[in-house]
Amino acid sequence: MTLPLSHPALSATDPELAALVGAEEQLQAGTLRLIPSENYVSQAVLEASGTVLQNKYSEGYAGRRYYEGQQNIDQVERLAADRAKALFGVDHANVQPYSGSPANLAVYLAFAEPGDTVMGMALPMGGHLTHGWGVSATGKWFRGVQYGVRHDTGLIDFDEVRDLALKERPKLIFCGGTALPRTIDFAAFAEIARESGAVLVADVAHIAGLIAGGAHPSPVPHADVISTTTHKTLRGPRGAMLMSREEHAKAIDKAVFPGLQGGPHNQTTAAIAVALHEAAQPSFRDYAHAVVANARALADALLARGFELVSGGTDNHLILMDLTPKDVPGKVAAKALDRAGIVVNYNTVPYDPRKPFDPSGVRIGTPSLTSRGLTAAHMPTVAEWIDRGVTAARTGDEDALAAIRAEVADLMAAFPAPGLPTD
Ligand SMILES: *Cc1c(COP(=O)(O)O)cnc(C)c1O
């Protein structure tokens, strides 16, 4: 039995909320978390994000604020930005965006006018909402043209991207996405952006930690702007950064503040600084490479069990399963796996014949399990649980799901998660 962490003040003031936090701690400790955009942050990151830096207003930038009393806050923000610059090898880093979506909106504000044409990967192909998809403000206020992947390979067709860019002449081209299991060819995108006169934005939200750890090529020599969240593979607090060469620094800073945001969340900036410090350690390189090795091993084990994977496998932290051959809709499988203690999300697959709210796929990834210390040797077991879970989803076998849940809890108890209760 795991004991809840003590949050004495919270428990005394608001036991109802404290109980929910305790329940979430138990859930995160006892389940196999496979959502590729999630992770476990360190205790140090948790502590930094819960500090009195929360109490301070600091509109502006270090040395140029609209409020006094910035003796410490300026240093916190400079530390975060300097660490980002050193880690990724960029001239400029803005660490103030509240999250990935506002960071991307700031890029539009910096480089485009409402009604301008912008280009990104279509959401159902693996792109992000904020890359010009219709329901997003970025698709309503700008004219989004969208590329995809080839039906036969599941890979980006650069001839198609080039043709579209030369025909549409977008102001911005976004590369990167949320369901891309393969390496992004930043050089190929950069060439197309140059030919078509577009600003290339590499949105590396999912893979920033892999890039920092040397397990995915860097966009830095190729992209004009790099947008990233800080809470996915990078393993920091929920936040974002915009990075660029010096020539774009002013435009980006102006767009974030005063263009789009007010005061930065200083407790988050502090936690970003801590996460960047952790990401600069040799052990983070080991983690990043282990994330990829685990994903490859899991993909191999799933393929051996007859699963169909979009693009046939993975180069990074993410696997997109098409469950059509298993005769189970993605949502049914995802909900059954949740009852089995395996947390995934249902997802569209490219050219999905089903609806977005009831698609054919399930998206999984290895950052969280890697942060707990699971290795490639565990991946055949993980694949077996997924296989049994999907079969149980089809047959409605709740006993089988309960049995998996017990096995999962057993293994997870042997791999304590950072920041969470242990036995
Ligand atoms: C997660 C993600 C975002 C958005 O981040 P939020 O913090 O959820 O707003 C943007 N782009 C990509 C590619 C992402 O994966």
Side-chain angles (χ1 to χ4, degrees), residues 37 98-104 126-131 174-180 203-207 227-232 238-240 363:
S37 50
Y98 299 141
S99 212
S101 302
N104 284 348
H128 191 260
L129 279 166
T130 56
H131 297 183
F174 279 86
C175 62
T178 63
L180 307 180
D203 182 350
V204 299
H206 261 261
I207 54 174
S227 174
T228 186
T229 58
T230 47
H231 48 269
K232 298 179 183 176
R238 306 198 79 84
R363 189 184 70 148

PDB file of all heavy atoms in Angstrom, residues 37 98-104 126-131 174-180 203-207 227-232 238-240 363, ligand 1:
ATOM      1  N   SER A  37       2.738  12.657 -24.734  1.00  0.00           N
ATOM      2  CA  SER A  37       2.979  14.066 -24.402  1.00  0.00           C
ATOM      3  C   SER A  37       3.132  14.275 -22.909  1.00  0.00           C
ATOM      4  O   SER A  37       3.301  15.403 -22.448  1.00  0.00           O
ATOM      5  CB  SER A  37       1.817  14.909 -24.928  1.00  0.00           C
ATOM      6  OG  SER A  37       0.586  14.340 -24.524  1.00  0.00           O
ATOM      7  N   TYR A  98       2.820  31.061 -22.026  1.00  0.00           N
ATOM      8  CA  TYR A  98       2.127  30.293 -20.994  1.00  0.00           C
ATOM      9  C   TYR A  98       2.057  28.809 -21.324  1.00  0.00           C
ATOM     10  O   TYR A  98       1.983  27.980 -20.444  1.00  0.00           O
ATOM     11  CB  TYR A  98       0.703  30.836 -20.798  1.00  0.00           C
ATOM     12  CG  TYR A  98       0.631  32.272 -20.339  1.00  0.00           C
ATOM     13  CD1 TYR A  98      -0.341  33.125 -20.832  1.00  0.00           C
ATOM     14  CD2 TYR A  98       1.542  32.768 -19.408  1.00  0.00           C
ATOM     15  CE1 TYR A  98      -0.426  34.431 -20.404  1.00  0.00           C
ATOM     16  CE2 TYR A  98       1.475  34.081 -18.982  1.00  0.00           C
ATOM     17  CZ  TYR A  98       0.491  34.921 -19.482  1.00  0.00           C
ATOM     18  OH  TYR A  98       0.419  36.207 -19.067  1.00  0.00           O
ATOM     19  N   SER A  99       2.019  28.491 -22.605  1.00  0.00           N
ATOM     20  CA  SER A  99       1.975  27.086 -23.007  1.00  0.00           C
ATOM     21  C   SER A  99       2.237  27.033 -24.515  1.00  0.00           C
ATOM     22  O   SER A  99       2.474  28.071 -25.156  1.00  0.00           O
ATOM     23  CB  SER A  99       0.618  26.465 -22.654  1.00  0.00           C
ATOM     24  OG  SER A  99       0.764  25.092 -22.342  1.00  0.00           O
ATOM     25  N   GLY A 100       2.195  25.835 -25.079  1.00  0.00           N
ATOM     26  CA  GLY A 100       2.552  25.684 -26.491  1.00  0.00           C
ATOM     27  C   GLY A 100       1.622  26.430 -27.437  1.00  0.00           C
ATOM     28  O   GLY A 100       2.070  27.039 -28.415  1.00  0.00           O
ATOM     29  N   SER A 101       0.324  26.407 -27.152  1.00  0.00           N
ATOM     30  CA  SER A 101      -0.623  27.063 -28.064  1.00  0.00           C
ATOM     31  C   SER A 101      -0.434  28.574 -28.091  1.00  0.00           C
ATOM     32  O   SER A 101      -0.345  29.166 -29.175  1.00  0.00           O
ATOM     33  CB  SER A 101      -2.060  26.690 -27.697  1.00  0.00           C
ATOM     34  OG  SER A 101      -2.215  25.288 -27.742  1.00  0.00           O
ATOM     35  N   PRO A 102      -0.359  29.259 -26.932  1.00  0.00           N
ATOM     36  CA  PRO A 102      -0.043  30.693 -26.980  1.00  0.00           C
ATOM     37  C   PRO A 102       1.333  30.992 -27.584  1.00  0.00           C
ATOM     38  O   PRO A 102       1.497  32.032 -28.235  1.00  0.00           O
ATOM     39  CB  PRO A 102      -0.094  31.139 -25.511  1.00  0.00           C
ATOM     40  CG  PRO A 102      -0.622  30.016 -24.720  1.00  0.00           C
ATOM     41  CD  PRO A 102      -0.719  28.808 -25.578  1.00  0.00           C
ATOM     42  N   ALA A 103       2.302  30.125 -27.402  1.00  0.00           N
ATOM     43  CA  ALA A 103       3.612  30.350 -28.036  1.00  0.00           C
ATOM     44  C   ALA A 103       3.444  30.387 -29.553  1.00  0.00           C
ATOM     45  O   ALA A 103       3.973  31.274 -30.235  1.00  0.00           O
ATOM     46  CB  ALA A 103       4.598  29.251 -27.636  1.00  0.00           C
ATOM     47  N   ASN A 104       2.670  29.441 -30.088  1.00  0.00           N
ATOM     48  CA  ASN A 104       2.472  29.426 -31.538  1.00  0.00           C
ATOM     49  C   ASN A 104       1.685  30.645 -32.005  1.00  0.00           C
ATOM     50  O   ASN A 104       1.985  31.216 -33.062  1.00  0.00           O
ATOM     51  CB  ASN A 104       1.780  28.131 -31.961  1.00  0.00           C
ATOM     52  CG  ASN A 104       2.740  26.955 -31.953  1.00  0.00           C
ATOM     53  OD1 ASN A 104       3.965  27.138 -31.850  1.00  0.00           O
ATOM     54  ND2 ASN A 104       2.213  25.749 -32.050  1.00  0.00           N
ATOM     55  N   GLY A 126      -1.548  14.209 -38.116  1.00  0.00           N
ATOM     56  CA  GLY A 126      -0.535  14.239 -37.064  1.00  0.00           C
ATOM     57  C   GLY A 126      -0.061  15.629 -36.702  1.00  0.00           C
ATOM     58  O   GLY A 126       0.799  15.788 -35.850  1.00  0.00           O
ATOM     59  N   GLY A 127      -0.612  16.658 -37.368  1.00  0.00           N
ATOM     60  CA  GLY A 127      -0.243  18.040 -37.045  1.00  0.00           C
ATOM     61  C   GLY A 127      -0.907  18.504 -35.745  1.00  0.00           C
ATOM     62  O   GLY A 127      -1.590  17.728 -35.078  1.00  0.00           O
ATOM     63  N   HIS A 128      -0.681  19.786 -35.390  1.00  0.00           N
ATOM     64  CA  HIS A 128      -1.330  20.338 -34.197  1.00  0.00           C
ATOM     65  C   HIS A 128      -2.392  21.335 -34.614  1.00  0.00           C
ATOM     66  O   HIS A 128      -2.277  21.988 -35.651  1.00  0.00           O
ATOM     67  CB  HIS A 128      -0.302  21.012 -33.279  1.00  0.00           C
ATOM     68  CG  HIS A 128      -0.864  21.356 -31.924  1.00  0.00           C
ATOM     69  ND1 HIS A 128      -1.283  22.621 -31.586  1.00  0.00           N
ATOM     70  CD2 HIS A 128      -1.090  20.575 -30.840  1.00  0.00           C
ATOM     71  CE1 HIS A 128      -1.734  22.604 -30.332  1.00  0.00           C
ATOM     72  NE2 HIS A 128      -1.623  21.385 -29.854  1.00  0.00           N
ATOM     73  N   LEU A 129      -3.428  21.455 -33.782  1.00  0.00           N
ATOM     74  CA  LEU A 129      -4.504  22.429 -33.988  1.00  0.00           C
ATOM     75  C   LEU A 129      -3.977  23.796 -34.396  1.00  0.00           C
ATOM     76  O   LEU A 129      -4.524  24.458 -35.282  1.00  0.00           O
ATOM     77  CB  LEU A 129      -5.242  22.623 -32.654  1.00  0.00           C
ATOM     78  CG  LEU A 129      -6.300  21.605 -32.236  1.00  0.00           C
ATOM     79  CD1 LEU A 129      -6.625  21.818 -30.758  1.00  0.00           C
ATOM     80  CD2 LEU A 129      -7.542  21.800 -33.085  1.00  0.00           C
ATOM     81  N   THR A 130      -2.908  24.227 -33.724  1.00  0.00           N
ATOM     82  CA  THR A 130      -2.406  25.593 -33.899  1.00  0.00           C
ATOM     83  C   THR A 130      -1.572  25.762 -35.167  1.00  0.00           C
ATOM     84  O   THR A 130      -0.967  26.815 -35.366  1.00  0.00           O
ATOM     85  CB  THR A 130      -1.547  26.005 -32.696  1.00  0.00           C
ATOM     86  OG1 THR A 130      -0.495  25.045 -32.544  1.00  0.00           O
ATOM     87  CG2 THR A 130      -2.366  26.082 -31.425  1.00  0.00           C
ATOM     88  N   HIS A 131      -1.531  24.748 -36.020  1.00  0.00           N
ATOM     89  CA  HIS A 131      -0.789  24.865 -37.281  1.00  0.00           C
ATOM     90  C   HIS A 131      -1.734  25.235 -38.424  1.00  0.00           C
ATOM     91  O   HIS A 131      -1.502  24.860 -39.573  1.00  0.00           O
ATOM     92  CB  HIS A 131      -0.035  23.566 -37.589  1.00  0.00           C
ATOM     93  CG  HIS A 131       1.023  23.233 -36.561  1.00  0.00           C
ATOM     94  ND1 HIS A 131       1.856  22.155 -36.669  1.00  0.00           N
ATOM     95  CD2 HIS A 131       1.380  23.867 -35.416  1.00  0.00           C
ATOM     96  CE1 HIS A 131       2.680  22.106 -35.628  1.00  0.00           C
ATOM     97  NE2 HIS A 131       2.410  23.140 -34.851  1.00  0.00           N
ATOM     98  N   PHE A 174       4.810  25.561 -40.796  1.00  0.00           N
ATOM     99  CA  PHE A 174       5.057  24.816 -39.554  1.00  0.00           C
ATOM    100  C   PHE A 174       5.469  23.387 -39.899  1.00  0.00           C
ATOM    101  O   PHE A 174       4.825  22.739 -40.726  1.00  0.00           O
ATOM    102  CB  PHE A 174       3.780  24.741 -38.701  1.00  0.00           C
ATOM    103  CG  PHE A 174       3.522  25.975 -37.887  1.00  0.00           C
ATOM    104  CD1 PHE A 174       2.838  27.057 -38.434  1.00  0.00           C
ATOM    105  CD2 PHE A 174       3.956  26.062 -36.581  1.00  0.00           C
ATOM    106  CE1 PHE A 174       2.598  28.200 -37.684  1.00  0.00           C
ATOM    107  CE2 PHE A 174       3.721  27.198 -35.822  1.00  0.00           C
ATOM    108  CZ  PHE A 174       3.050  28.272 -36.375  1.00  0.00           C
ATOM    109  N   CYS A 175       6.529  22.909 -39.258  1.00  0.00           N
ATOM    110  CA  CYS A 175       6.794  21.472 -39.275  1.00  0.00           C
ATOM    111  C   CYS A 175       6.796  20.975 -37.836  1.00  0.00           C
ATOM    112  O   CYS A 175       7.009  21.749 -36.901  1.00  0.00           O
ATOM    113  CB  CYS A 175       8.080  21.134 -40.008  1.00  0.00           C
ATOM    114  SG  CYS A 175       9.586  21.824 -39.295  1.00  0.00           S
ATOM    115  N   GLY A 176       6.556  19.690 -37.674  1.00  0.00           N
ATOM    116  CA  GLY A 176       6.402  19.107 -36.339  1.00  0.00           C
ATOM    117  C   GLY A 176       4.950  18.774 -36.107  1.00  0.00           C
ATOM    118  O   GLY A 176       4.086  19.177 -36.893  1.00  0.00           O
ATOM    119  N   GLY A 177       4.657  18.022 -35.057  1.00  0.00           N
ATOM    120  CA  GLY A 177       3.286  17.631 -34.826  1.00  0.00           C
ATOM    121  C   GLY A 177       3.116  16.851 -33.549  1.00  0.00           C
ATOM    122  O   GLY A 177       3.995  16.855 -32.681  1.00  0.00           O
ATOM    123  N   THR A 178       1.952  16.202 -33.456  1.00  0.00           N
ATOM    124  CA  THR A 178       1.575  15.526 -32.212  1.00  0.00           C
ATOM    125  C   THR A 178       1.466  14.017 -32.359  1.00  0.00           C
ATOM    126  O   THR A 178       1.285  13.325 -31.366  1.00  0.00           O
ATOM    127  CB  THR A 178       0.198  16.021 -31.738  1.00  0.00           C
ATOM    128  OG1 THR A 178      -0.753  15.664 -32.727  1.00  0.00           O
ATOM    129  CG2 THR A 178       0.179  17.512 -31.549  1.00  0.00           C
ATOM    130  N   ALA A 179       1.517  13.526 -33.568  1.00  0.00           N
ATOM    131  CA  ALA A 179       1.352  12.080 -33.753  1.00  0.00           C
ATOM    132  C   ALA A 179       2.295  11.590 -34.850  1.00  0.00           C
ATOM    133  O   ALA A 179       1.925  10.782 -35.694  1.00  0.00           O
ATOM    134  CB  ALA A 179      -0.098  11.752 -34.086  1.00  0.00           C
ATOM    135  N   LEU A 180       3.516  12.110 -34.843  1.00  0.00           N
ATOM    136  CA  LEU A 180       4.496  11.771 -35.879  1.00  0.00           C
ATOM    137  C   LEU A 180       5.532  10.808 -35.310  1.00  0.00           C
ATOM    138  O   LEU A 180       6.362  11.201 -34.495  1.00  0.00           O
ATOM    139  CB  LEU A 180       5.210  13.036 -36.381  1.00  0.00           C
ATOM    140  CG  LEU A 180       4.304  14.172 -36.840  1.00  0.00           C
ATOM    141  CD1 LEU A 180       5.140  15.364 -37.301  1.00  0.00           C
ATOM    142  CD2 LEU A 180       3.421  13.691 -37.978  1.00  0.00           C
ATOM    143  N   ASP A 203       8.042  23.277 -34.729  1.00  0.00           N
ATOM    144  CA  ASP A 203       7.328  23.092 -33.462  1.00  0.00           C
ATOM    145  C   ASP A 203       7.738  21.725 -32.907  1.00  0.00           C
ATOM    146  O   ASP A 203       7.222  20.692 -33.323  1.00  0.00           O
ATOM    147  CB  ASP A 203       5.818  23.166 -33.708  1.00  0.00           C
ATOM    148  CG  ASP A 203       5.013  23.029 -32.414  1.00  0.00           C
ATOM    149  OD1 ASP A 203       5.617  22.699 -31.370  1.00  0.00           O
ATOM    150  OD2 ASP A 203       3.792  23.254 -32.460  1.00  0.00           O
ATOM    151  N   VAL A 204       8.695  21.771 -31.977  1.00  0.00           N
ATOM    152  CA  VAL A 204       9.284  20.527 -31.464  1.00  0.00           C
ATOM    153  C   VAL A 204       8.736  20.147 -30.085  1.00  0.00           C
ATOM    154  O   VAL A 204       9.404  19.462 -29.313  1.00  0.00           O
ATOM    155  CB  VAL A 204      10.827  20.617 -31.430  1.00  0.00           C
ATOM    156  CG1 VAL A 204      11.382  20.845 -32.830  1.00  0.00           C
ATOM    157  CG2 VAL A 204      11.312  21.731 -30.488  1.00  0.00           C
ATOM    158  N   ALA A 205       7.499  20.592 -29.808  1.00  0.00           N
ATOM    159  CA  ALA A 205       6.907  20.362 -28.483  1.00  0.00           C
ATOM    160  C   ALA A 205       7.096  18.927 -27.998  1.00  0.00           C
ATOM    161  O   ALA A 205       7.484  18.691 -26.856  1.00  0.00           O
ATOM    162  CB  ALA A 205       5.422  20.714 -28.514  1.00  0.00           C
ATOM    163  N   HIS A 206       6.811  17.960 -28.889  1.00  0.00           N
ATOM    164  CA  HIS A 206       6.895  16.562 -28.463  1.00  0.00           C
ATOM    165  C   HIS A 206       8.332  16.089 -28.267  1.00  0.00           C
ATOM    166  O   HIS A 206       8.603  15.270 -27.398  1.00  0.00           O
ATOM    167  CB  HIS A 206       6.210  15.655 -29.499  1.00  0.00           C
ATOM    168  CG  HIS A 206       4.831  15.272 -29.106  1.00  0.00           C
ATOM    169  ND1 HIS A 206       4.525  14.069 -28.537  1.00  0.00           N
ATOM    170  CD2 HIS A 206       3.660  15.971 -29.174  1.00  0.00           C
ATOM    171  CE1 HIS A 206       3.233  14.017 -28.273  1.00  0.00           C
ATOM    172  NE2 HIS A 206       2.680  15.155 -28.654  1.00  0.00           N
ATOM    173  N   ILE A 207       9.246  16.577 -29.089  1.00  0.00           N
ATOM    174  CA  ILE A 207      10.575  15.951 -29.166  1.00  0.00           C
ATOM    175  C   ILE A 207      11.692  16.810 -28.590  1.00  0.00           C
ATOM    176  O   ILE A 207      12.875  16.453 -28.713  1.00  0.00           O
ATOM    177  CB  ILE A 207      10.921  15.583 -30.637  1.00  0.00           C
ATOM    178  CG1 ILE A 207      10.785  16.807 -31.548  1.00  0.00           C
ATOM    179  CG2 ILE A 207      10.044  14.435 -31.112  1.00  0.00           C
ATOM    180  CD1 ILE A 207      11.237  16.563 -32.983  1.00  0.00           C
ATOM    181  N   SER A 227       9.597  26.546 -31.754  1.00  0.00           N
ATOM    182  CA  SER A 227       8.584  26.635 -30.710  1.00  0.00           C
ATOM    183  C   SER A 227       8.578  25.322 -29.967  1.00  0.00           C
ATOM    184  O   SER A 227       8.645  24.251 -30.574  1.00  0.00           O
ATOM    185  CB  SER A 227       7.208  26.890 -31.362  1.00  0.00           C
ATOM    186  OG  SER A 227       6.195  26.846 -30.376  1.00  0.00           O
ATOM    187  N   THR A 228       8.506  25.375 -28.645  1.00  0.00           N
ATOM    188  CA  THR A 228       8.393  24.117 -27.901  1.00  0.00           C
ATOM    189  C   THR A 228       7.631  24.307 -26.600  1.00  0.00           C
ATOM    190  O   THR A 228       7.705  25.373 -25.986  1.00  0.00           O
ATOM    191  CB  THR A 228       9.772  23.506 -27.590  1.00  0.00           C
ATOM    192  OG1 THR A 228       9.566  22.208 -26.991  1.00  0.00           O
ATOM    193  CG2 THR A 228      10.598  24.351 -26.632  1.00  0.00           C
ATOM    194  N   THR A 229       6.917  23.277 -26.219  1.00  0.00           N
ATOM    195  CA  THR A 229       6.441  23.207 -24.845  1.00  0.00           C
ATOM    196  C   THR A 229       7.619  22.749 -23.995  1.00  0.00           C
ATOM    197  O   THR A 229       8.627  22.259 -24.511  1.00  0.00           O
ATOM    198  CB  THR A 229       5.290  22.198 -24.680  1.00  0.00           C
ATOM    199  OG1 THR A 229       5.755  20.913 -25.102  1.00  0.00           O
ATOM    200  CG2 THR A 229       4.080  22.595 -25.500  1.00  0.00           C
ATOM    201  N   THR A 230       7.468  22.876 -22.676  1.00  0.00           N
ATOM    202  CA  THR A 230       8.545  22.437 -21.781  1.00  0.00           C
ATOM    203  C   THR A 230       8.143  21.196 -20.982  1.00  0.00           C
ATOM    204  O   THR A 230       8.953  20.692 -20.212  1.00  0.00           O
ATOM    205  CB  THR A 230       8.908  23.585 -20.816  1.00  0.00           C
ATOM    206  OG1 THR A 230       7.712  24.140 -20.258  1.00  0.00           O
ATOM    207  CG2 THR A 230       9.650  24.680 -21.552  1.00  0.00           C
ATOM    208  N   HIS A 231       6.913  20.701 -21.170  1.00  0.00           N
ATOM    209  CA  HIS A 231       6.397  19.661 -20.272  1.00  0.00           C
ATOM    210  C   HIS A 231       6.279  18.283 -20.892  1.00  0.00           C
ATOM    211  O   HIS A 231       5.709  17.385 -20.294  1.00  0.00           O
ATOM    212  CB  HIS A 231       5.033  20.087 -19.712  1.00  0.00           C
ATOM    213  CG  HIS A 231       4.069  20.594 -20.749  1.00  0.00           C
ATOM    214  ND1 HIS A 231       3.979  21.926 -21.095  1.00  0.00           N
ATOM    215  CD2 HIS A 231       3.169  19.957 -21.516  1.00  0.00           C
ATOM    216  CE1 HIS A 231       3.047  22.081 -22.013  1.00  0.00           C
ATOM    217  NE2 HIS A 231       2.546  20.899 -22.292  1.00  0.00           N
ATOM    218  N   LYS A 232       6.764  18.089 -22.104  1.00  0.00           N
ATOM    219  CA  LYS A 232       6.614  16.759 -22.723  1.00  0.00           C
ATOM    220  C   LYS A 232       7.933  15.995 -22.529  1.00  0.00           C
ATOM    221  O   LYS A 232       8.316  15.783 -21.384  1.00  0.00           O
ATOM    222  CB  LYS A 232       6.150  16.915 -24.161  1.00  0.00           C
ATOM    223  CG  LYS A 232       4.772  17.616 -24.204  1.00  0.00           C
ATOM    224  CD  LYS A 232       4.205  17.848 -25.583  1.00  0.00           C
ATOM    225  CE  LYS A 232       2.888  18.620 -25.484  1.00  0.00           C
ATOM    226  NZ  LYS A 232       2.349  18.961 -26.821  1.00  0.00           N
ATOM    227  N   ARG A 238       4.520  22.754 -17.009  1.00  0.00           N
ATOM    228  CA  ARG A 238       3.689  23.116 -18.162  1.00  0.00           C
ATOM    229  C   ARG A 238       4.006  24.553 -18.552  1.00  0.00           C
ATOM    230  O   ARG A 238       3.705  25.486 -17.812  1.00  0.00           O
ATOM    231  CB  ARG A 238       2.205  22.981 -17.815  1.00  0.00           C
ATOM    232  CG  ARG A 238       1.814  21.626 -17.273  1.00  0.00           C
ATOM    233  CD  ARG A 238       0.332  21.400 -17.348  1.00  0.00           C
ATOM    234  NE  ARG A 238      -0.018  21.028 -18.697  1.00  0.00           N
ATOM    235  CZ  ARG A 238       0.067  19.787 -19.177  1.00  0.00           C
ATOM    236  NH1 ARG A 238       0.486  18.809 -18.416  1.00  0.00           N
ATOM    237  NH2 ARG A 238      -0.261  19.525 -20.414  1.00  0.00           N
ATOM    238  N   GLY A 239       4.639  24.710 -19.708  1.00  0.00           N
ATOM    239  CA  GLY A 239       5.026  26.024 -20.182  1.00  0.00           C
ATOM    240  C   GLY A 239       5.543  25.887 -21.600  1.00  0.00           C
ATOM    241  O   GLY A 239       5.338  24.847 -22.240  1.00  0.00           O
ATOM    242  N   ALA A 240       6.185  26.947 -22.102  1.00  0.00           N
ATOM    243  CA  ALA A 240       6.685  26.897 -23.477  1.00  0.00           C
ATOM    244  C   ALA A 240       7.824  27.886 -23.661  1.00  0.00           C
ATOM    245  O   ALA A 240       8.050  28.765 -22.818  1.00  0.00           O
ATOM    246  CB  ALA A 240       5.557  27.197 -24.467  1.00  0.00           C
ATOM    247  N   ARG A 363      -2.692   6.150 -29.628  1.00  0.00           N
ATOM    248  CA  ARG A 363      -1.345   6.739 -29.635  1.00  0.00           C
ATOM    249  C   ARG A 363      -0.666   6.414 -28.303  1.00  0.00           C
ATOM    250  O   ARG A 363      -1.258   6.620 -27.248  1.00  0.00           O
ATOM    251  CB  ARG A 363      -1.503   8.256 -29.813  1.00  0.00           C
ATOM    252  CG  ARG A 363      -0.234   9.026 -30.066  1.00  0.00           C
ATOM    253  CD  ARG A 363      -0.530  10.530 -30.127  1.00  0.00           C
ATOM    254  NE  ARG A 363      -0.886  11.056 -28.806  1.00  0.00           N
ATOM    255  CZ  ARG A 363      -0.622  12.294 -28.384  1.00  0.00           C
ATOM    256  NH1 ARG A 363      -0.023  13.166 -29.189  1.00  0.00           N
ATOM    257  NH2 ARG A 363      -0.980  12.698 -27.185  1.00  0.00           N
TER     258      ARG A 363
HETATM  259  C1  LIG B   1       1.472  19.907 -27.225  1.00  0.00           C
HETATM  260  C2  LIG B   1       1.688  20.658 -28.472  1.00  0.00           C
HETATM  261  C3  LIG B   1       1.332  21.998 -28.603  1.00  0.00           C
HETATM  262  C4  LIG B   1       0.491  22.745 -27.605  1.00  0.00           C
HETATM  263  O1  LIG B   1       0.866  22.764 -26.340  1.00  0.00           O
HETATM  264  P1  LIG B   1      -0.150  23.182 -25.167  1.00  0.00           P
HETATM  265  O2  LIG B   1       0.814  23.453 -24.080  1.00  0.00           O
HETATM  266  O3  LIG B   1      -1.035  22.000 -24.957  1.00  0.00           O
HETATM  267  O4  LIG B   1      -0.896  24.390 -25.595  1.00  0.00           O
HETATM  268  C5  LIG B   1       1.672  22.651 -29.765  1.00  0.00           C
HETATM  269  N1  LIG B   1       2.305  22.022 -30.757  1.00  0.00           N
HETATM  270  C6  LIG B   1       2.631  20.721 -30.683  1.00  0.00           C
HETATM  271  C7  LIG B   1       3.325  20.073 -31.828  1.00  0.00           C
HETATM  272  C8  LIG B   1       2.325  19.990 -29.547  1.00  0.00           C
HETATM  273  O5  LIG B   1       2.639  18.703 -29.503  1.00  0.00           O
END
